[in-house]
PDB file of all heavy atoms in Angstrom:
ATOM      1  N   THR B 277      15.376  -1.580 -25.854  1.00 74.00           N
ATOM      2  CA  THR B 277      16.117  -1.366 -24.613  1.00 74.00           C
ATOM      3  C   THR B 277      15.911   0.063 -24.133  1.00 74.00           C
ATOM      4  O   THR B 277      15.555   0.941 -24.916  1.00 74.00           O
ATOM      5  CB  THR B 277      17.638  -1.590 -24.807  1.00 74.00           C
ATOM      6  OG1 THR B 277      18.130  -0.594 -25.707  1.00 74.00           O
ATOM      7  CG2 THR B 277      17.929  -2.984 -25.336  1.00 74.00           C
ATOM      8  N   ILE B 278      16.179   0.300 -22.857  1.00 67.00           N
ATOM      9  CA  ILE B 278      16.084   1.657 -22.326  1.00 67.00           C
ATOM     10  C   ILE B 278      17.135   2.550 -22.978  1.00 67.00           C
ATOM     11  O   ILE B 278      16.916   3.731 -23.193  1.00 67.00           O
ATOM     12  CB  ILE B 278      16.197   1.656 -20.776  1.00 67.00           C
ATOM     13  CG1 ILE B 278      15.777   3.004 -20.206  1.00 67.00           C
ATOM     14  CG2 ILE B 278      17.587   1.281 -20.319  1.00 67.00           C
ATOM     15  CD1 ILE B 278      14.317   3.323 -20.295  1.00 67.00           C
ATOM     16  N   GLU B 279      18.272   1.961 -23.342  1.00 71.00           N
ATOM     17  CA  GLU B 279      19.311   2.726 -24.026  1.00 71.00           C
ATOM     18  C   GLU B 279      18.802   3.236 -25.372  1.00 71.00           C
ATOM     19  O   GLU B 279      19.042   4.374 -25.753  1.00 71.00           O
ATOM     20  CB  GLU B 279      20.573   1.879 -24.222  1.00 71.00           C
ATOM     21  CG  GLU B 279      21.314   1.565 -22.939  1.00 71.00           C
ATOM     22  CD  GLU B 279      20.755   0.371 -22.184  1.00 71.00           C
ATOM     23  OE1 GLU B 279      19.846  -0.331 -22.711  1.00 71.00           O
ATOM     24  OE2 GLU B 279      21.208   0.129 -21.052  1.00 71.00           O
ATOM     25  N   HIS B 280      18.078   2.372 -26.096  1.00 73.00           N
ATOM     26  CA  HIS B 280      17.500   2.763 -27.387  1.00 73.00           C
ATOM     27  C   HIS B 280      16.529   3.923 -27.199  1.00 73.00           C
ATOM     28  O   HIS B 280      16.489   4.852 -28.003  1.00 73.00           O
ATOM     29  CB  HIS B 280      16.810   1.571 -28.034  1.00 73.00           C
ATOM     30  CG  HIS B 280      16.205   1.876 -29.364  1.00 73.00           C
ATOM     31  ND1 HIS B 280      15.005   1.358 -29.762  1.00 73.00           N
ATOM     32  CD2 HIS B 280      16.619   2.654 -30.388  1.00 73.00           C
ATOM     33  CE1 HIS B 280      14.708   1.812 -30.968  1.00 73.00           C
ATOM     34  NE2 HIS B 280      15.666   2.603 -31.367  1.00 73.00           N
ATOM     35  N   TYR B 281      15.765   3.889 -26.130  1.00 69.00           N
ATOM     36  CA  TYR B 281      14.824   4.971 -25.848  1.00 69.00           C
ATOM     37  C   TYR B 281      15.566   6.298 -25.716  1.00 69.00           C
ATOM     38  O   TYR B 281      15.192   7.301 -26.322  1.00 69.00           O
ATOM     39  CB  TYR B 281      14.028   4.674 -24.577  1.00 69.00           C
ATOM     40  CG  TYR B 281      13.243   5.851 -24.077  1.00 69.00           C
ATOM     41  CD1 TYR B 281      12.095   6.269 -24.749  1.00 69.00           C
ATOM     42  CD2 TYR B 281      13.652   6.563 -22.962  1.00 69.00           C
ATOM     43  CE1 TYR B 281      11.371   7.367 -24.303  1.00 69.00           C
ATOM     44  CE2 TYR B 281      12.939   7.656 -22.516  1.00 69.00           C
ATOM     45  CZ  TYR B 281      11.799   8.053 -23.193  1.00 69.00           C
ATOM     46  OH  TYR B 281      11.097   9.139 -22.747  1.00 69.00           O
ATOM     47  N   PHE B 282      16.630   6.326 -24.922  1.00 67.00           N
ATOM     48  CA  PHE B 282      17.357   7.572 -24.703  1.00 67.00           C
ATOM     49  C   PHE B 282      18.120   8.022 -25.946  1.00 67.00           C
ATOM     50  O   PHE B 282      18.331   9.210 -26.149  1.00 67.00           O
ATOM     51  CB  PHE B 282      18.291   7.454 -23.501  1.00 67.00           C
ATOM     52  CG  PHE B 282      17.540   7.468 -22.195  1.00 67.00           C
ATOM     53  CD1 PHE B 282      17.514   6.351 -21.389  1.00 67.00           C
ATOM     54  CD2 PHE B 282      16.855   8.601 -21.787  1.00 67.00           C
ATOM     55  CE1 PHE B 282      16.810   6.363 -20.195  1.00 67.00           C
ATOM     56  CE2 PHE B 282      16.144   8.621 -20.597  1.00 67.00           C
ATOM     57  CZ  PHE B 282      16.123   7.496 -19.795  1.00 67.00           C
ATOM     58  N   GLN B 283      18.500   7.093 -26.795  1.00 70.00           N
ATOM     59  CA  GLN B 283      19.207   7.446 -28.030  1.00 70.00           C
ATOM     60  C   GLN B 283      18.268   8.038 -29.073  1.00 70.00           C
ATOM     61  O   GLN B 283      18.700   8.723 -29.992  1.00 70.00           O
ATOM     62  CB  GLN B 283      19.894   6.213 -28.630  1.00 70.00           C
ATOM     63  CG  GLN B 283      21.058   5.721 -27.811  1.00 70.00           C
ATOM     64  CD  GLN B 283      21.543   4.362 -28.275  1.00 70.00           C
ATOM     65  OE1 GLN B 283      20.973   3.751 -29.174  1.00 70.00           O
ATOM     66  NE2 GLN B 283      22.603   3.875 -27.650  1.00 70.00           N
ATOM     67  N   THR B 284      16.976   7.778 -28.955  1.00 70.00           N
ATOM     68  CA  THR B 284      16.021   8.207 -29.983  1.00 70.00           C
ATOM     69  C   THR B 284      14.968   9.165 -29.439  1.00 70.00           C
ATOM     70  O   THR B 284      13.866   9.238 -29.970  1.00 70.00           O
ATOM     71  CB  THR B 284      15.335   6.980 -30.611  1.00 70.00           C
ATOM     72  OG1 THR B 284      14.746   6.192 -29.579  1.00 70.00           O
ATOM     73  CG2 THR B 284      16.303   6.141 -31.394  1.00 70.00           C
ATOM     74  N   LEU B 285      15.295   9.901 -28.380  1.00 66.00           N
ATOM     75  CA  LEU B 285      14.343  10.872 -27.825  1.00 66.00           C
ATOM     76  C   LEU B 285      13.878  11.837 -28.912  1.00 66.00           C
ATOM     77  O   LEU B 285      14.659  12.264 -29.753  1.00 66.00           O
ATOM     78  CB  LEU B 285      14.987  11.655 -26.687  1.00 66.00           C
ATOM     79  CG  LEU B 285      15.070  10.932 -25.353  1.00 66.00           C
ATOM     80  CD1 LEU B 285      15.832  11.784 -24.344  1.00 66.00           C
ATOM     81  CD2 LEU B 285      13.706  10.602 -24.807  1.00 66.00           C
ATOM     82  N   GLY B 286      12.614  12.156 -28.890  1.00 61.00           N
ATOM     83  CA  GLY B 286      12.072  13.094 -29.867  1.00 61.00           C
ATOM     84  C   GLY B 286      11.476  12.416 -31.090  1.00 61.00           C
ATOM     85  O   GLY B 286      10.807  13.044 -31.884  1.00 61.00           O
ATOM     86  N   ARG B 287      11.706  11.137 -31.220  1.00 59.00           N
ATOM     87  CA  ARG B 287      11.110  10.400 -32.339  1.00 59.00           C
ATOM     88  C   ARG B 287       9.815   9.742 -31.870  1.00 59.00           C
ATOM     89  O   ARG B 287       9.637   9.504 -30.685  1.00 59.00           O
ATOM     90  CB  ARG B 287      12.089   9.348 -32.856  1.00 59.00           C
ATOM     91  CG  ARG B 287      13.335   9.977 -33.426  1.00 59.00           C
ATOM     92  CD  ARG B 287      14.191   8.954 -34.089  1.00 59.00           C
ATOM     93  NE  ARG B 287      15.432   9.587 -34.521  1.00 59.00           N
ATOM     94  CZ  ARG B 287      16.496   8.914 -34.874  1.00 59.00           C
ATOM     95  NH1 ARG B 287      16.490   7.603 -34.851  1.00 59.00           N
ATOM     96  NH2 ARG B 287      17.583   9.538 -35.255  1.00 59.00           N
ATOM     97  N   PRO B 288       8.907   9.433 -32.775  1.00 63.00           N
ATOM     98  CA  PRO B 288       7.611   8.848 -32.371  1.00 63.00           C
ATOM     99  C   PRO B 288       7.759   7.395 -31.919  1.00 63.00           C
ATOM    100  O   PRO B 288       7.654   6.476 -32.714  1.00 63.00           O
ATOM    101  CB  PRO B 288       6.759   8.959 -33.640  1.00 63.00           C
ATOM    102  CG  PRO B 288       7.753   8.977 -34.759  1.00 63.00           C
ATOM    103  CD  PRO B 288       8.985   9.650 -34.209  1.00 63.00           C
ATOM    104  N   LEU B 289       8.005   7.186 -30.638  1.00 67.00           N
ATOM    105  CA  LEU B 289       8.209   5.845 -30.099  1.00 67.00           C
ATOM    106  C   LEU B 289       7.044   5.359 -29.248  1.00 67.00           C
ATOM    107  O   LEU B 289       7.052   4.231 -28.779  1.00 67.00           O
ATOM    108  CB  LEU B 289       9.482   5.829 -29.238  1.00 67.00           C
ATOM    109  CG  LEU B 289      10.769   6.205 -29.942  1.00 67.00           C
ATOM    110  CD1 LEU B 289      11.900   6.326 -28.927  1.00 67.00           C
ATOM    111  CD2 LEU B 289      11.117   5.181 -30.992  1.00 67.00           C
ATOM    112  N   ILE B 290       6.053   6.205 -29.029  1.00 69.00           N
ATOM    113  CA  ILE B 290       4.954   5.821 -28.141  1.00 69.00           C
ATOM    114  C   ILE B 290       4.039   4.835 -28.845  1.00 69.00           C
ATOM    115  O   ILE B 290       3.554   5.081 -29.935  1.00 69.00           O
ATOM    116  CB  ILE B 290       4.166   7.065 -27.682  1.00 69.00           C
ATOM    117  CG1 ILE B 290       5.090   7.981 -26.878  1.00 69.00           C
ATOM    118  CG2 ILE B 290       2.944   6.652 -26.858  1.00 69.00           C
ATOM    119  CD1 ILE B 290       4.476   9.317 -26.543  1.00 69.00           C
ATOM    120  N   HIS B 291       3.828   3.713 -28.193  1.00 72.00           N
ATOM    121  CA  HIS B 291       2.955   2.670 -28.738  1.00 72.00           C
ATOM    122  C   HIS B 291       1.551   2.791 -28.142  1.00 72.00           C
ATOM    123  O   HIS B 291       0.560   2.644 -28.833  1.00 72.00           O
ATOM    124  CB  HIS B 291       3.548   1.291 -28.429  1.00 72.00           C
ATOM    125  CG  HIS B 291       2.711   0.153 -28.881  1.00 72.00           C
ATOM    126  ND1 HIS B 291       2.535  -0.153 -30.208  1.00 72.00           N
ATOM    127  CD2 HIS B 291       1.998  -0.748 -28.183  1.00 72.00           C
ATOM    128  CE1 HIS B 291       1.745  -1.204 -30.305  1.00 72.00           C
ATOM    129  NE2 HIS B 291       1.401  -1.582 -29.091  1.00 72.00           N
ATOM    130  N   ARG B 292       1.484   3.074 -26.836  1.00 76.00           N
ATOM    131  CA  ARG B 292       0.186   3.154 -26.175  1.00 76.00           C
ATOM    132  C   ARG B 292       0.332   3.954 -24.885  1.00 76.00           C
ATOM    133  O   ARG B 292       1.339   3.849 -24.204  1.00 76.00           O
ATOM    134  CB  ARG B 292      -0.297   1.747 -25.855  1.00 76.00           C
ATOM    135  CG  ARG B 292      -1.614   1.692 -25.127  1.00 76.00           C
ATOM    136  CD  ARG B 292      -2.182   0.282 -25.107  1.00 76.00           C
ATOM    137  NE  ARG B 292      -2.543  -0.063 -26.471  1.00 76.00           N
ATOM    138  CZ  ARG B 292      -2.257  -1.237 -27.054  1.00 76.00           C
ATOM    139  NH1 ARG B 292      -1.625  -2.145 -26.396  1.00 76.00           N
ATOM    140  NH2 ARG B 292      -2.623  -1.480 -28.292  1.00 76.00           N
ATOM    141  N   MET B 293      -0.678   4.761 -24.547  1.00 75.00           N
ATOM    142  CA  MET B 293      -0.719   5.487 -23.286  1.00 75.00           C
ATOM    143  C   MET B 293      -2.016   5.159 -22.566  1.00 75.00           C
ATOM    144  O   MET B 293      -3.087   5.154 -23.187  1.00 75.00           O
ATOM    145  CB  MET B 293      -0.644   6.993 -23.513  1.00 75.00           C
ATOM    146  CG  MET B 293       0.724   7.488 -23.876  1.00 75.00           C
ATOM    147  SD  MET B 293       0.822   9.283 -23.726  1.00 75.00           S
ATOM    148  CE  MET B 293       0.551   9.744 -25.431  1.00 75.00           C
ATOM    149  N   ILE B 294      -1.915   4.904 -21.264  1.00 75.00           N
ATOM    150  CA  ILE B 294      -3.078   4.615 -20.432  1.00 75.00           C
ATOM    151  C   ILE B 294      -2.989   5.508 -19.206  1.00 75.00           C
ATOM    152  O   ILE B 294      -1.972   5.544 -18.529  1.00 75.00           O
ATOM    153  CB  ILE B 294      -3.106   3.132 -20.002  1.00 75.00           C
ATOM    154  CG1 ILE B 294      -3.182   2.231 -21.246  1.00 75.00           C
ATOM    155  CG2 ILE B 294      -4.275   2.875 -19.057  1.00 75.00           C
ATOM    156  CD1 ILE B 294      -2.996   0.762 -20.954  1.00 75.00           C
ATOM    157  N   LYS B 295      -4.047   6.263 -18.920  1.00 76.00           N
ATOM    158  CA  LYS B 295      -4.089   7.160 -17.764  1.00 76.00           C
ATOM    159  C   LYS B 295      -5.350   6.866 -16.976  1.00 76.00           C
ATOM    160  O   LYS B 295      -6.455   6.897 -17.524  1.00 76.00           O
ATOM    161  CB  LYS B 295      -4.073   8.623 -18.242  1.00 76.00           C
ATOM    162  CG  LYS B 295      -4.174   9.637 -17.148  1.00 76.00           C
ATOM    163  CD  LYS B 295      -2.867   9.753 -16.409  1.00 76.00           C
ATOM    164  CE  LYS B 295      -2.958  10.864 -15.389  1.00 76.00           C
ATOM    165  NZ  LYS B 295      -1.939  10.791 -14.397  1.00 76.00           N
ATOM    166  N   ASN B 296      -5.192   6.559 -15.694  1.00 74.00           N
ATOM    167  CA  ASN B 296      -6.324   6.210 -14.821  1.00 74.00           C
ATOM    168  C   ASN B 296      -7.190   5.108 -15.414  1.00 74.00           C
ATOM    169  O   ASN B 296      -8.409   5.145 -15.331  1.00 74.00           O
ATOM    170  CB  ASN B 296      -7.167   7.442 -14.505  1.00 74.00           C
ATOM    171  CG  ASN B 296      -6.436   8.428 -13.645  1.00 74.00           C
ATOM    172  OD1 ASN B 296      -5.629   8.051 -12.798  1.00 74.00           O
ATOM    173  ND2 ASN B 296      -6.683   9.704 -13.875  1.00 74.00           N
ATOM    174  N   GLY B 297      -6.550   4.140 -16.048  1.00 74.00           N
ATOM    175  CA  GLY B 297      -7.262   2.993 -16.586  1.00 74.00           C
ATOM    176  C   GLY B 297      -7.918   3.230 -17.929  1.00 74.00           C
ATOM    177  O   GLY B 297      -8.616   2.371 -18.442  1.00 74.00           O
TER     178      GLY B 297
END
Side-chain angles (χ1 to χ4, degrees):
T277 65
I278 193 70
E279 291 83 7
H280 181 219
Y281 169 73
F282 286 114
Q283 291 169 357
T284 55
L285 282 175
R287 296 188 185 165
L289 300 172
I290 298 172
H291 177 70
R292 178 168 292 135
M293 285 194 263
I294 299 171
K295 177 75 175 163
N296 292 327

